[in-house]
Amino acid sequence: MEEKKTDLLSLELPELEALLVSMGEPKYRAEQIFVQMHRGVSPEDMTNIGKALKQKLADTAYFHIPSIEKKLVSAIDGTVKYLFAMRDGNCVESVVMKYKHGNTICISSQVGCRMGCAFCASTIGGKVRDLLPSELLGQIIAAQNDGGERISNVVMMGIGEPLDNYDNVVKFLHLVGNEKGLNIGYRHISLSTCGVVDKINRLAEEDLPITLSISLHASDDETRSSIMPINKKWNIDALLCACRDYFAKTGRRISFEYTLIAGKNDSVAAASKLAELLNRRLRTRSETMPIHVNLIPVNEVSESGFTHSGKEAVDKFAATLNKKGIRATVRRKLGADINASCGQLRRAHEDNKQN
Ligand code: SAH
């Protein structure tokens, strides 16, 4: 059934104003409603709007915040993992991590994913659908209200490829930065991509100074193409070229994710090649682009058959990068006891529904 009702939480303030004016309401009503919706209050529960307007809104529009289908709390570090149910019953995962500098949420951008990375659990069942701006925002509102503490940082590193859901993601970025809403500054937002080059180029033009995080995972095309199908469309060279342009236009640093898979991409030779590649492609002439590489021992997903690199290999890989002037750190693993990464909770939930 096609949705005929307006999704209120996906509207930017001027759009909400136009809607209310078209209903014969004064313009200022929109801001009152906007502010409360972004705190998670449904129009029907708002005390400062009348019965007649509530009825009009209920007839033509809807407001929905994801509901908590499952919640796991790490006994080790307090990391919280949510399985959120959307209005149509589809579920995605979000994770809240507590750092000294504030609470960070990792949100999903799609139900499933069609990028096909060989090591990733989120892509196994393909993509079901894109998430709406309201559903991206809703994950933060729901988690913040449940936790009772402000969430000040957002990483788009959950299920899905954010740049494969470009328009909704950009609209979400405008909404989440609105000072009347969650008011999360762009410098506190990062977006992770497997390398959708045409969209990286578009994003550079948007004047949204977020941090870009690139899932690189290999230092040569043969290896990268064998684990990341996107590399057959845009190879490493094309990707790094887009990164350079992004930095030139936005001045925002770019970080690289590198998942270490035993015997696949974790040799000292691969590390040397990676350092040379990044130095050569991103730091030519007088440019001093800050580069940071996050090393992540692969999370073992039973379907992929990959195993993570041992501590010695990880340390050697990091040391090789650092020696060659590329700052590299090994990602601290949070929520180890609740399997906080990877889209595996949604998969288990889907499997249960089918049995
Ligand atoms: N589609 C986006 C964001 C989602 S994945 C992207 O590709 O960047 C977030 C990060 O987790 C990516 O760097 C991804 O490559 C990595 N990842 C996925 N599966 C993993 C696994 N099993 N172990 C370690 N990292 C993984």
Side-chain angles (χ1 to χ4, degrees):
M1 195 188 71
E2 207 189 317
E3 179 72 63
K4 293 265 161 39
K5 291 189 168 183
T6 302
D7 170 16
L8 289 174
L9 189 60
S10 283
L11 299 181
E12 291 193 57
L13 191 50
E15 295 173 313
L16 190 59
E17 281 170 357
L19 178 75
L20 286 156
V21 169
S22 78
M23 290 175 164
E25 294 290 325
K27 204 168 144 186
Y28 68 80
R29 200 63 88 213
E31 190 175 311
Q32 294 176 326
I33 294 176
F34 187 91
V35 167
Q36 294 192 74
M37 281 198 306
H38 286 239
R39 291 181 187 149
V41 182
S42 164
E44 66 188 38
D45 297 326
M46 293 178 188
T47 52
N48 54 352
I49 64 173
K51 238 182 158 170
L53 176 56
K54 284 183 184 176
Q55 191 56 53
K56 265 192 267 180
L57 286 172
D59 290 342
T60 59
Y62 72 89
F63 170 84
H64 187 262
I65 294 289
S67 59
I68 301 172
E69 185 76 24
K70 210 170 190 170
K71 175 180 169 181
L72 303 172
V73 183
S74 166
I76 304 171
D77 50 42
T79 298
V80 186
K81 178 164 187 166
Y82 294 98
L83 184 69
F84 280 128
M86 303 294 133
R87 191 161 166 258
D88 65 358
N90 272 307
C91 289
V92 296
E93 295 170 31
S94 316
V95 180
V96 177
M97 294 152 287
K98 296 172 194 297
Y99 293 107
K100 278 194 210 82
H101 62 266
N103 295 316
T104 296
I105 189 167
C106 171
I107 63 170
S108 294
S109 55
Q110 296 176 315
V111 181
C113 184
R114 60 180 183 135
M115 294 295 130
C117 298
F119 43 82
C120 180
S122 304
T123 199
I124 291 169
K127 182 181 98 167
V128 178
R129 69 172 177 85
D130 289 328
L131 290 181
L132 299 164
S134 60
E135 294 170 325
L136 299 169
L137 207 58
Q139 295 171 62
I140 310 175
I141 297 171
Q144 181 165 274
N145 286 352
D146 179 62
E149 279 176 27
R150 179 162 196 262
I151 290 174
S152 50
N153 299 278
V154 180
V155 296
M156 305 194 79
M157 280 194 189
I159 297 169
E161 168 49 52
L163 297 184
D164 187 42
N165 182 17
Y166 188 85
D167 292 340
N168 288 338
V169 164
V170 166
K171 195 161 191 207
F172 155 74
L173 291 171
H174 286 291
L175 287 166
V176 78
N178 191 307
E179 58 182 21
K180 306 239 161 42
L182 290 173
N183 193 17
I184 300 177
Y186 294 122
R187 275 152 216 283
H188 299 274
I189 300 177
S190 33
L191 183 152
S192 179
T193 177
C194 65
V196 187
V197 164
D198 61 340
K199 299 299 182 339
I200 295 174
N201 293 338
R202 242 178 103 184
L203 191 65
E205 306 290 339
E206 302 274 0
D207 197 23
L208 290 166
I210 57 171
T211 302
L212 205 56
S213 203
I214 303 287
S215 299
L216 196 56
H217 305 327
S219 51
D220 66 87
D221 280 323
E222 196 189 334
T223 308
R224 193 165 193 268
S225 293
S226 75
I227 50 175
M228 301 181 74
I230 188 91
N231 199 65
K232 293 175 193 152
K233 185 153 186 192
W234 288 290
N235 65 14
I236 295 178
D237 225 42
L239 178 55
L240 295 182
C241 187
C243 290
R244 245 184 92 163
D245 289 348
Y246 187 87
F247 177 69
K249 290 218 169 86
T250 64
R252 297 293 297 146
R253 74 183 169 84
I254 295 183
S255 61
F256 292 91
E257 312 288 308
Y258 195 104
T259 286
L260 290 159
I261 306 171
K264 186 87 188 158
N265 63 359
D266 66 341
S267 66
V268 168
S272 286
K273 202 160 178 192
L274 178 62
E276 280 154 25
L277 184 71
L278 295 177
N279 279 324
R280 177 162 42 84
R281 299 294 290 123
L282 301 177
R283 285 178 164 163
T284 47
R285 282 168 274 143
S286 59
E287 289 168 20
T288 49
M289 174 169 166
I291 300 173
H292 186 249
V293 176
N294 277 310
L295 298 171
I296 315 148
V298 76
N299 255 297
E300 297 178 7
V301 176
S302 51
E303 287 88 340
S304 76
F306 291 141
T307 49
H308 62 72
S309 312
K311 189 178 177 323
E312 202 187 326
V314 174
D315 289 346
K316 265 194 193 153
F317 200 97
T320 306
L321 290 177
N322 284 322
K323 235 187 320 189
K324 290 179 184 274
I326 301 288
R327 219 159 64 88
T329 46
V330 181
R331 165 100 33 101
R332 194 158 59 99
K333 190 166 176 150
L334 290 175
D337 53 336
I338 56 168
N339 203 353
S341 33
C342 276
Q344 298 187 31
L345 189 58
R346 173 175 169 262
R347 277 196 54 70
H349 181 72
E350 292 292 308
D351 288 348
N352 281 342
K353 273 202 304 200
Q354 275 155 25
N355 293 336

